[in-house]
Amino acid sequence: MPRKVYLAGPEVFLPDATEVGRRKVEICARYGLLGVFPLDLDSSPGPTTSPATFKACVAAMHDAAAIVANLTPFRGAGADPGTAFELGYVFALGRPVFGYTNDPVAHVERVRSRFGPLRREGDSLFAADGFAVENFELFDNLMLAEVLLESGPGVFIPQMPVADPTRDLATFERCVAHAAESLREAGQG
Amino acid sequence: MPRKVYLAGPEVFLPDATEVGRRKVEICARYGLLGVFPLDLDSSPGPTTSPATFKACVAAMHDAAAIVANLTPFRGAGADPGTAFELGYVFALGRPVFGYTNDPVAHVERVRSRFGPLRREGDSLFAADGFAVENFELFDNLMLAEVLLESGPGVFIPQMPVADPTRDLATFERCVAHAAESLREAGQG
């Protein structure tokens, strides 16, 4: 029986989300894992509701051996907050957490490119929006970056430029390969 | 001994974060709660490091009876991903979760105002960034909106326009008042 891996990420919002999910599940299968794509959870007739989706996702996370989260920036400088929520949820359950981003750019540079020049003040760096920028050479908020170091080598980032960051699955596949090996080593694979 | 409440939110990035945190803790005290502001956790000498901050925040969440999360949009259309992570973490621990936003605008309108006109396609609504927009009349991603309904009345939003959304604590105070009552009723206050 293959171990279930919860596939979090903002690709559920793509017009071709179902197809992207199918490809993700297929890649998981190649590494002996059962990928659980959130959009596949709703089997009830009638329109999708918000409470039903929430309950289905929470149940699926409980049921999963691990999470593989797509932390590519979504509608802003950082990861999709829904995905970040799920990453925290699965981590608190004590399960291994894995993640990747299709944007190789560091957090500081992401903020600079969206909000303009940064300003240094003592040890701190501030963006033009008036807020400080975490300056740790990480890819996103430190909570997301550090939690991935609890279960593995940290975030997976592209090895070469990505033409279509919303659909490219090369970095996802490297992340899944690592997750599969890691779960196997932990006797869960 | 007052119950501890973890105070999550992007105000830790303000230049005057310490002062905002002090005001938040003061409001908590007025309702019989011990507010734990993340910036107050670092008592080690020398510069703050990313792993130490992560560990301190995780330990503080474990130690808290509940979380009060500031889910005001941060550097994008949605909540700060670090705050969203913490909301998921505390929820998975089985503790009550409370949250507020100083931006009363709904998710759909937030996306429209940042990315331009929306396009309807069948039952779905798409933004100009090519991604679908959750159309549930919620304030943010449905995971964030629904989780707040598990412990209370949902997200707290301003009753009147907010001049300084990054520092105004009126809605925070209403949220804390509710959290205090709710924890008391549950025999934890």
Side-chain angles (χ1 to χ4, degrees):
Chain A
M1 179 78 179
R3 301 302 299 216
K4 289 183 188 167
V5 174
Y6 186 83
L7 303 175
E11 63 272 2
V12 294
F13 302 121
L14 285 170
D16 53 336
T18 307
E19 167 60 13
V20 175
R22 197 193 55 71
R23 288 170 51 217
K24 284 192 132 180
V25 171
E26 199 175 276
I27 288 170
C28 288
R30 226 180 292 151
Y31 291 89
L33 298 174
L34 182 55
V36 177
F37 191 61
L39 281 197
D40 298 336
L41 295 171
D42 184 17
S43 56
S44 59
T48 306
T49 71
S50 172
T53 303
F54 174 77
K55 280 178 184 31
C57 291
V58 167
M61 288 191 283
H62 258 284
D63 203 32
I67 187 173
V68 173
N70 175 3
L71 299 166
T72 308
F74 182 66
R75 289 183 176 149
D80 167 44
T83 303
F85 173 89
E86 295 177 332
L87 189 64
Y89 189 88
V90 174
F91 178 63
L93 295 180
R95 318 264 168 88
V97 301
F98 307 98
Y100 71 100
T101 168
N102 271 343
D103 177 2
V105 170
H107 177 64
V108 169
E109 187 49 37
R110 287 180 185 178
V111 174
R112 190 206 320 265
S113 71
R114 282 170 179 84
F115 296 92
L118 306 177
R119 181 174 51 82
R120 184 168 290 281
E121 214 179 288
D123 285 342
S124 300
L125 211 53
F126 285 89
D129 64 358
F131 287 94
V133 185
E134 286 178 350
N135 194 11
F136 294 118
E137 303 185 10
L138 301 172
F139 77 104
D140 204 322
N141 184 292
L142 75 86
M143 299 302 288
L144 310 189
E146 291 295 338
V147 77
L148 299 178
L149 291 163
E150 296 282 316
S151 313
V155 71
F156 283 79
I157 63 167
Q159 291 173 318
M160 50 186 75
V162 174
D164 182 356
T166 60
R167 291 178 183 83
D168 191 291
L169 297 180
T171 305
F172 168 75
E173 178 159 352
R174 285 171 47 231
C175 187
V176 165
H178 171 80
E181 198 189 321
S182 173
L183 289 171
R184 205 161 39 233
E185 280 171 6
Q188 307 184 302
Chain B
M1 177 80 180
R3 301 302 298 216
K4 289 184 187 167
V5 174
Y6 186 83
L7 303 177
E11 64 272 3
V12 293
F13 302 121
L14 285 170
D16 53 338
T18 307
E19 167 61 14
V20 175
R22 197 193 54 73
R23 288 170 51 217
K24 285 193 130 179
V25 170
E26 199 177 274
I27 288 171
C28 288
R30 227 180 291 150
Y31 293 89
L33 298 173
L34 182 55
V36 177
F37 191 60
L39 281 197
D40 297 336
L41 295 171
D42 184 16
S43 57
S44 58
T48 306
T49 71
S50 171
T53 303
F54 175 77
K55 281 179 184 31
C57 291
V58 166
M61 288 191 283
H62 259 285
D63 204 32
I67 187 173
V68 173
N70 174 3
L71 299 165
T72 308
F74 182 68
R75 289 183 177 150
D80 168 43
T83 303
F85 173 89
E86 295 177 333
L87 188 64
Y89 189 88
V90 174
F91 178 63
L93 295 181
R95 318 263 168 89
V97 300
F98 307 98
Y100 71 100
T101 169
N102 272 343
D103 177 3
V105 171
H107 177 64
V108 168
E109 187 49 36
R110 288 180 185 178
V111 174
R112 193 208 318 265
S113 70
R114 283 173 178 82
F115 295 93
L118 305 177
R119 182 174 50 82
R120 184 167 289 280
E121 214 179 288
D123 285 342
S124 300
L125 210 55
F126 284 90
D129 64 359
F131 286 93
V133 186
E134 285 178 351
N135 194 10
F136 294 118
E137 303 185 10
L138 300 172
F139 77 104
D140 204 322
N141 184 291
L142 76 85
M143 299 303 288
L144 310 190
E146 291 294 338
V147 78
L148 299 178
L149 291 162
E150 296 282 317
S151 312
V155 71
F156 284 78
I157 63 168
Q159 290 173 320
M160 50 186 75
V162 174
D164 184 357
T166 61
R167 292 178 183 83
D168 191 290
L169 297 180
T171 304
F172 167 75
E173 178 160 354
R174 286 170 48 231
C175 187
V176 165
H178 171 80
E181 196 189 323
S182 173
L183 288 171
R184 206 161 36 234
E185 279 172 7
Q188 306 184 305

